[in-house]
Amino acid sequence: MAPTPEEAAPRPGGRPRDAALDEAIILATRDRLVRDGYSLMTIGDIATDAKVSRPTLYRRWSTKFELVVDALDYGFRKQRDSYAVDLSNLAPRAAFTEAVRRLDPTYFNPDAMVLMGNFAGEAIRTPELLGILREHAVEPRVTLVENVLTQLQERGAVQDDIDKHTIATMCFGSYFAAFYRGESRDEIPEAVVSVLWPAIATAKASRKRR
């Protein structure tokens, strides 16, 4: 539902926004995204959960979509540092294992699998949401694995002719397979690497345990 002119009006006197209030609204939005999904969540429910009025919320975000974009960015900003992590101090196999571990959608957010499923369900109605998820949550993760594999190639630990894109995609998909099969994700990094490492490691690296 669109805000009324009164609800959408700027704050009188240009008073600065309350960061704590903004965060309460953002957190309530993230919770509703998991519980209700984008289509079913309402501005009224978010306002109630955040203990603010609808006019207070609309003075900050004019549409539900704008609010959700900021709620997603809130989470993405907390994760960005992990995508540029330096694993060069680890042994080759251990570095690859750690990169696969960070592929886990729930590495930072335990509700991420449900959230991704909700956005996949919005692919027809609101494809922009899935696009945002791909750009900020999926691509940085798989790119991390691809970059680590490139670094391991430069270290002479991984073969030069491997398909890094496909390897990263397979590793990422393993978490979704475990989720849908009802299996624990804790063993995925070691299990996946134990299968892939013999096929991608150079002869010299494959003789080393870690």
Side-chain angles (χ1 to χ4, degrees):
M1 181 182 297
T4 65
E6 180 182 356
E7 290 174 332
R11 302 181 74 179
R15 288 176 292 166
R17 283 168 55 156
D18 184 335
L21 205 56
D22 287 357
E23 184 172 45
I25 295 169
I26 289 291
L27 293 177
T29 302
R30 291 175 63 83
D31 181 63
R32 280 288 169 179
L33 277 171
V34 173
R35 288 193 287 155
D36 298 342
Y38 179 78
S39 292
L40 294 180
M41 65 183 283
T42 68
I43 290 295
D45 287 337
I46 294 169
T48 298
D49 293 347
K51 297 179 173 56
V52 301
S53 66
R54 285 166 60 94
T56 294
L57 192 153
Y58 275 125
R59 278 194 287 268
R60 290 161 167 76
W61 293 276
S62 61
T63 67
K64 181 170 74 170
F65 183 80
E66 290 178 2
L67 173 55
V68 167
V69 168
D70 277 0
L72 292 175
D73 186 62
Y74 176 91
F76 296 150
R77 283 187 282 108
K78 292 181 176 296
Q79 300 176 29
R80 283 171 190 156
D81 287 346
S82 74
Y83 301 145
V85 65
D86 181 8
L87 303 178
S88 61
N89 60 320
L90 298 179
R93 178 167 168 162
F96 183 39
T97 303
E98 181 59 25
V100 174
R101 181 172 291 108
R102 289 168 185 265
L103 269 177
D104 184 357
T106 64
Y107 187 85
F108 285 96
N109 179 5
D111 297 319
M113 280 293 190
V114 176
L115 193 61
M116 286 185 166
N118 287 343
F119 284 2
E122 292 290 333
I124 295 177
R125 291 183 294 268
T126 319
E128 299 91 342
L129 290 175
L130 189 55
I132 291 170
L133 194 70
R134 285 173 178 152
E135 179 182 356
H136 296 284
V138 176
E139 286 305 318
R141 283 185 166 91
V142 293
T143 299
L144 170 62
V145 173
E146 292 171 2
N147 290 343
V148 168
L149 289 172
T150 297
Q151 294 166 13
L152 294 179
Q153 286 175 325
E154 294 169 350
R155 294 168 63 180
V158 166
Q159 300 169 30
D160 290 333
D161 59 350
I162 62 171
D163 184 345
K164 290 175 284 190
H165 178 86
T166 298
I167 291 171
T169 301
M170 290 170 59
C171 293
F172 187 55
S174 65
Y175 288 98
F176 291 87
F179 177 78
Y180 286 115
R181 297 186 72 178
E183 298 176 353
S184 170
R185 71 181 190 279
D186 296 339
E187 294 78 24
I188 287 177
E190 287 289 351
V192 167
V193 172
S194 69
V195 172
L196 291 177
W197 189 250
I200 69 174
T202 59
K204 178 181 178 181
S206 63
R207 288 194 294 267
K208 297 181 179 180
R209 173 66 181 169
R210 303 299 294 175

